[in-house]
Amino acid sequence: AGSEPAGGIFANYLELPGLPPMTVEVDGRGPLDQWRAQWLVAASSEPFIAGRATIDASDRRHDRLLLRSRLDGYLAPILPPVLKAIFDGKTVAQLEAVWDGSSAFEDVALSVKSDTLDLSANGGFNASNSYLHGGGRFRLGEGNSQTVLIPLPDGGTISFAQLGGAVELPDRKESRKIAAEVSVSKLDTPWGYLASAELTSSARQMQPVGERSHSLDAGLVSLAIREFVPREEKFEGVLGPSGDVEIRGRTSSGMAVIESFAVNAGALRLAGYGKLANGITTVTADVIADDLGKFSSLADVALAGASRLKIQASVPLDGAPIDFALDGRAADLGFGGGTDGFVLPGDTHLAAAARCV
C-alpha cells in the first residue's frame, strides 16, 4: 500500500482536478490453489479503480488451476490522451482461464467494456510450442450520431462513428485457415474523409504448432473504401466530390498478386492488376480521364481534353531501372495556356516507352 497527500506527484502526473490525496493498495495472499488478491486506486478516499483476482483448483481437472480476475473503474484519468476516448466512462474488464501451472492457458474468456469499447475474446495459448487458437471481436463507438474523437500528437484529431474488427483462429493443430476483418465508418482525419472502409483477409497456416507457426500461405485480401474525400485541394478536382476504391489480392509461395484494383472518382476511372514476384513489381492499368482540365492543379500546368490510356510499369525493388510504357488515345488534347501552350485537336494516338535509371 502507498499514499500521498494532496498535490502529490501521482495526482500531478495524472492531472487530476484539485490534485487530491491519493491511495494505492494491493493485497495478495494464500497458497497457489487458494490465492486471493485485491487492489484499488483511490482519490480523496474514493476508489476510482478497483479489482480482484483468484486462483483455485479447477473443479473439472484437479491438475489445473482456475484463474478469475475482474477490474472496475474509471481508467481515463491514468491513460495517455490517445486512449482516453476509448476507455471513456466506467470500464469493466473480466478474465477467466484454466492454467496448467506452467506455460499453457485454456478456456480463456476475456471481456472489456466501457462507454465506447466492447471487446470479447476466447481461446487458448501454449507458450511452449507457440500454439494459439480462439477468436475475438471488438467495437469502438455505437455507429450513431455520436463520434469517437482521438487526439493526435500534433494537435489534430481523428474521429469516427464506429470502428470494429474480428479475428478467428480455429482450434486445429494441423493446416488451418485463419481470418481477420476490420471496418470503420464516417472516418474523418486531417488528410481526408471517408464514409466507410472494410478490410478482410484470410490465410492458410500450414504449421500452427512450433517454430514455423508464424509462416502463412495462400493469403487473400480485400479492401473497399467508399466516398473518400481528400483534404488536399490539388486532389479535390481529380477525386472530388468523392471517390471509391476497391482492391483484391492474394499471396502464395513468395508471390503477391493484385487480382484487381479500381478507382472510381470525379475525374478519374482506373482499373488494373499487378504482381510482385522475384523482386519485381509489375502493374497494368487502364486509365480513363474524361476531363483533363481537372488535373491541372495536380500537374501544375493547364490541361484540356480527355484521354484513355493503358499503362504498364515494371519496378524492381533493388533499385534497378524502371520500365514504363503507355498506349492510348486522347481527344482535343491541350497543354499550357497562352502563347506557351498548344492544342492537338481531334483524335490523337499516344504511345511512349521509357526506362528510368
Side-chain angles (χ1 to χ4, degrees):
S3 62
E4 66 175 19
I9 296 174
F10 195 39
N12 272 280
Y13 175 76
L14 299 178
E15 299 181 349
L16 296 178
L19 304 179
M22 301 293 297
T23 301
V24 178
E25 297 181 1
V26 180
D27 178 61
R29 62 187 65 189
L32 187 58
D33 59 354
Q34 292 181 330
W35 187 76
R36 302 291 182 268
Q38 58 185 11
W39 58 86
L40 66 82
V41 180
S44 298
S45 300
E46 293 293 330
F48 65 89
I49 299 175
R52 62 182 184 273
T54 64
I55 302 179
D56 293 293
S58 173
D59 294 334
R60 289 175 293 176
R61 294 187 60 178
H62 296 297
D63 60 341
R64 298 289 189 267
L65 297 171
L66 178 61
L67 284 65
R68 291 191 180 99
S69 181
R70 178 182 173 110
L71 180 146
D72 296 75
Y74 298 86
L75 303 182
I78 67 172
L79 295 175
V82 70
L83 295 178
K84 288 182 183 294
I86 297 175
F87 294 94
D88 189 30
K90 184 178 181 180
T91 297
V92 177
Q94 298 184 83
L95 172 66
E96 183 172 311
V98 175
W99 178 36
D100 70 351
S102 178
S103 59
F105 296 85
E106 289 294 336
D107 299 330
V108 177
L110 170 69
S111 69
V112 181
K113 293 186 177 182
S114 69
D115 289 355
T116 305
L117 172 66
D118 187 353
L119 178 150
S120 62
N122 61 79
F125 174 66
N126 191 329
S128 66
N129 59 11
S130 303
Y131 179 61
L132 173 67
H133 69 88
R137 293 182 175 275
F138 79 92
R139 186 187 71 238
L140 284 170
E142 297 297 331
N144 52 26
S145 59
Q146 299 295 320
T147 60
V148 179
L149 193 67
I150 307 295
L152 298 175
D154 62 2
T157 59
I158 291 177
S159 67
F160 53 85
Q162 185 168 296
L163 172 66
V167 63
E168 189 68 33
L169 294 87
D171 187 5
R172 179 181 173 87
K173 295 183 179 180
E174 298 176 351
S175 174
R176 65 180 180 178
K177 177 183 177 181
I178 62 177
E181 61 182 50
V182 178
S183 63
V184 65
S185 63
K186 298 180 181 178
L187 176 63
D188 198 356
T189 78
W191 313 282
Y193 168 88
L194 55 88
S196 66
E198 182 175 357
L199 174 67
T200 61
S201 64
S202 65
R204 177 65 59 179
Q205 188 178 28
M206 304 305 295
Q207 298 182 18
V209 179
E211 296 180 356
R212 298 191 60 189
S213 60
H214 64 280
S215 180
L216 303 176
D217 199 5
L220 298 174
V221 178
S222 174
L223 173 65
I225 298 174
R226 301 289 180 239
E227 297 182 28
F228 172 69
V229 182
R231 288 279 187 268
E232 190 73 29
E233 289 186 7
K234 62 183 180 181
F235 291 107
E236 289 181 355
V238 177
L239 301 177
S242 66
D244 297 337
V245 178
E246 290 189 3
I247 302 173
R248 295 181 182 276
R250 59 182 172 85
T251 62
S252 179
S253 302
M255 178 176 65
V257 176
I258 302 175
E259 295 180 328
S260 66
F261 60 87
V263 177
N264 190 358
L268 175 67
R269 283 174 289 162
L270 183 152
Y273 55 91
K275 180 172 67 174
L276 170 59
N278 302 319
I280 300 176
T281 301
T282 57
V283 178
T284 300
D286 293 313
V287 183
I288 301 174
D290 293 326
D291 183 1
L292 290 173
K294 294 183 178 180
F295 289 78
S296 298
S297 60
L298 185 61
D300 200 26
V301 63
L303 300 174
S307 67
R308 294 181 175 231
L309 304 173
K310 179 179 286 291
I311 296 175
Q312 296 177 308
S314 176
V315 183
L317 301 184
D318 61 0
I322 298 172
D323 290 323
F324 173 85
L326 67 83
D327 188 87
R329 311 199 75 81
D332 300 323
L333 191 61
F335 291 92
T339 57
D340 296 328
F342 66 90
V343 176
L344 298 175
D347 185 66
T348 302
H349 176 231
L350 300 176
R355 169 164 287 190
C356 304
V357 179

